[in-house]
Amino acid sequence: MKAWLLSVGNKIKNVFLFLFAAQLIYIIILKWVDPPVTATQLISWVKGDGLKRDYIHLNDMSPNACLAVMASEDQLFPDHNGFDVKSIKKAMEINKKKPNRLRGASTISQQVAKNVFLWQGRSWLRKGLEVYFTFMIEAVWGKKRILEMYLNVAEMGKGVFGIEAASRKFFNKPAKKLTRTEAAMIAASLPNPKKYTVKPVSKYIAKRYPWVIQQMNFLDGDEDIQALMPARKQGR
């Protein structure tokens, strides 16, 4: 019996070691290669919501798009290590007072970890894995790749994933040509892109996108923000 338990224990240990090595290799590969599909995208397709996406390089995105999502979702993105501790503490305090109205405090890095490697939900298991993957992509990918991945995999409309697909669907143009206002409208939908629609413009977005533009103006001169912007081609 003891020998059998040792054998089972060794097999379980080997499985965990294999899974750990496999996910680590996958993380490293994704530093340069885009994910073939994510759980959220697959679920969207299975549910009949559709799956529109078109992965593009950061340099093929408008600087307005990059600035808009940071202004809207995570203004401290260049400065933190993947977690905005102050916002997390504030969210926890609010959730204690209003348990029926849960408030999130996810950074762009945390959202990428969830969107690329995990599933949607609020379970402790998923949150624990999110912490692990957030730490790993911050260490392995770096900020520019995380921002690029976010703008490629985030849902920006019902069944619409990434800034390129959103730009073409809502404004009939590539993401590289998005104006400040258009980028702000897409960014304003991110808290709930299925509910807050860009076209037709929902009341929430009509109210929120001017605030996003205001925040973009505030962040425009920040050197750390500018360091993450797409490279500008000579002559432009």
Side-chain angles (χ1 to χ4, degrees):
M1 184 68 176
K2 185 177 180 180
W4 180 80
L5 289 174
L6 287 173
S7 176
V8 171
N10 286 331
K11 288 180 180 178
I12 292 174
K13 182 180 72 175
N14 290 336
V15 168
F16 275 105
L17 287 173
F18 172 79
L19 291 175
F20 177 79
Q23 61 82 30
L24 181 58
I25 292 170
Y26 188 55
I27 291 172
I28 294 172
I29 290 173
L30 292 189
K31 181 177 174 69
W32 298 281
V33 179
D34 295 320
V37 70
T38 69
T40 304
Q41 291 173 352
L42 189 59
I43 291 171
S44 176
W45 179 73
V46 171
K47 289 173 62 178
D49 289 341
L51 175 52
K52 296 183 178 67
R53 67 175 191 181
D54 189 2
Y55 295 146
I56 58 174
H57 192 274
L58 187 70
N59 291 341
D60 292 322
M61 300 175 188
S62 167
N64 292 322
C66 299
L67 186 60
V69 297
M70 285 189 280
S72 176
E73 295 293 292
D74 187 359
Q75 296 188 10
L76 296 178
F77 176 66
D79 307 311
H80 60 60
N81 63 352
F83 306 94
D84 184 349
V85 178
K86 288 184 179 180
S87 293
I88 291 172
K89 288 181 178 179
K90 184 176 180 180
M92 291 175 68
E93 291 174 0
I94 293 174
N95 291 341
K96 285 182 180 179
K97 296 177 182 178
K98 300 179 179 180
N100 294 325
R101 296 177 59 186
L102 294 179
R103 175 192 176 100
S106 293
T107 63
I108 284 177
S109 302
Q110 288 176 271
Q111 292 181 56
V112 169
K114 175 185 68 177
N115 290 336
V116 174
F117 300 101
L118 303 170
W119 61 94
Q120 305 298 317
R122 292 184 177 273
S123 70
W124 285 109
L125 172 62
R126 203 226 68 193
K127 292 299 291 185
L129 290 172
E130 180 185 298
V131 170
Y132 168 77
F133 281 111
T134 299
F135 173 80
M136 291 300 293
I137 63 175
E138 281 277 342
V140 176
W141 291 3
K143 293 292 187 180
K144 273 199 170 185
R145 177 56 173 164
I146 293 172
L147 180 61
E148 178 182 77
M149 187 71 80
Y150 179 79
L151 282 159
N152 273 320
V153 302
E155 190 167 15
M156 298 180 176
K158 187 175 181 180
V160 180
F161 295 87
I163 195 69
E164 180 73 6
S167 180
R168 292 189 180 276
K169 179 175 177 61
F170 302 132
F171 302 110
N172 297 312
K173 62 170 68 174
K176 196 175 186 69
K177 295 184 178 181
L178 281 172
T179 66
R180 212 171 183 82
T181 297
E182 292 164 347
M185 291 176 70
I186 293 174
S189 75
L190 291 170
N192 192 337
K194 287 187 173 71
K195 180 179 180 181
Y196 307 135
T197 57
V198 177
K199 289 286 182 74
V201 180
S202 67
K203 291 182 179 179
Y204 175 87
I205 289 183
K207 181 179 179 180
R208 182 175 171 81
Y209 90 80
W211 176 85
V212 175
I213 293 176
Q214 183 184 54
Q215 299 306 303
M216 291 168 71
N217 293 336
F218 290 152
L219 295 176
D220 225 354
D222 188 294
E223 292 183 359
D224 294 329
I225 293 282
Q226 290 302 316
L228 298 176
M229 292 292 107
R232 296 181 184 276
K233 293 182 179 180
Q234 292 183 352
R236 290 193 177 186

